[in-house]
Amino acid sequence: AQTVTQSQPEMSVQEAETVTLSCTYDTSENNYYLFWYKQPPSRQMILVIRQEAYKQQNATENRFSVNFQKAAKSFSLKISDSQLGDTAMYFCAFMNYKAAGNKLTFGGGTRVLVKP
Amino acid sequence: EPEVTQTPSHQVTQMGQEVILRCVPISNHLYFYWYRQILGQKVEFLVSFYNNEISEKSEIFDDQFSVERPDGSNFTLKIRSTKLEDSAMYFCASTDKAFLYEQYFGPGTRLTVT
């Protein structure tokens, strides 16, 4: 079974600064995706960024980028130029896409507070 | 942009009652999921559904839970006899075959069992 661990329950950052969220995972699989989801106060789950495990290049989506270290099973998210609208819970998630159900396994979340 | 919708947004029910949570997935999607999130905790997988049958279910998804796609557009989660610990946010998600990695989530239904 896969496990996903987020060791930082809460982080704060000044507007326009950079914050990095940590995520580690444990799996014996080779075919998987990793994700970061954002959950604002509305509690809607919004996909921020995705990384395919077979790709060495780190994914980037505008101000969001990841540092994927496959051997270390580490998948951190960097938010650059933080904006007030980035305030939310952030969940790291794992998917074994060869498994029958394609379920997402989530970490415990990191609450990010962007301060003006 | 197409989106997943869920009704109701908030449901209050008494312990022991049956509830049905409804979801309308994106129209061309074929894979459907239910997740739940107890307040302050992580999102947990309940069940995945494809081709009118369950693909995978978690330990949480016991005999009290069932899913159905009754009419080709709705996807429902039924809890037969609710318990206090079923109080949570329930999220529906869907995806299509070509993009299994991108699950689109609905806004959630907040279930409160009293």
Side-chain angles (χ1 to χ4, degrees), chain A residues 67-97:
Chain A
N67 183 3
F68 174 47
Q69 301 290 325
K70 190 172 183 180
K73 295 186 177 142
S74 169
F75 183 61
S76 62
L77 174 71
K78 184 168 79 172
I79 307 173
S80 303
D81 185 26
S82 298
Q83 300 175 0
L84 296 178
D86 296 333
T87 292
M89 280 290 286
Y90 287 80
F91 292 96
C92 178
F94 173 100
M95 177 195 289
N96 171 10
Y97 63 81

Side-chain angles (χ1 to χ4, degrees), chain A residues 3 7-8 11 24 37 41 48 56 61 73-75 80 88-89 94 114:
Chain A
T3 58
S7 59
Q8 305 148 314
M11 298 193 74
T24 58
Y37 278 86
V48 174
Q56 291 188 331
E61 284 288 340
K73 295 186 177 142
S74 169
F75 183 61
S80 303
M89 280 290 286
F94 173 100
V114 180

Side-chain angles (χ1 to χ4, degrees), chain B residues 97-109:
Chain B
K97 189 174 183 179
F99 300 99
L100 287 174
Y101 51 73
E102 186 141 13
Q103 292 184 15
Y104 290 81
F105 280 78
T109 292

Side-chain angles (χ1 to χ4, degrees), chain B residues 53-98:
Chain B
E53 58 183 33
I54 291 173
S55 307
E56 186 177 0
K57 60 183 181 179
S58 71
E59 293 175 353
I60 303 166
F61 195 88
D62 61 21
D63 292 343
Q64 293 298 313
F65 291 87
S66 63
V67 289
E68 195 179 32
R69 189 156 161 79
D71 56 13
S73 61
N74 289 283
F75 179 52
T76 61
L77 174 69
K78 183 193 291 186
I79 309 174
R80 289 191 183 82
S81 179
T82 50
K83 306 179 189 119
L84 294 176
E85 54 264 37
D86 293 327
S87 293
M89 194 77 161
Y90 288 81
F91 292 102
C92 173
S94 71
T95 189
D96 70 19
K97 189 174 183 179

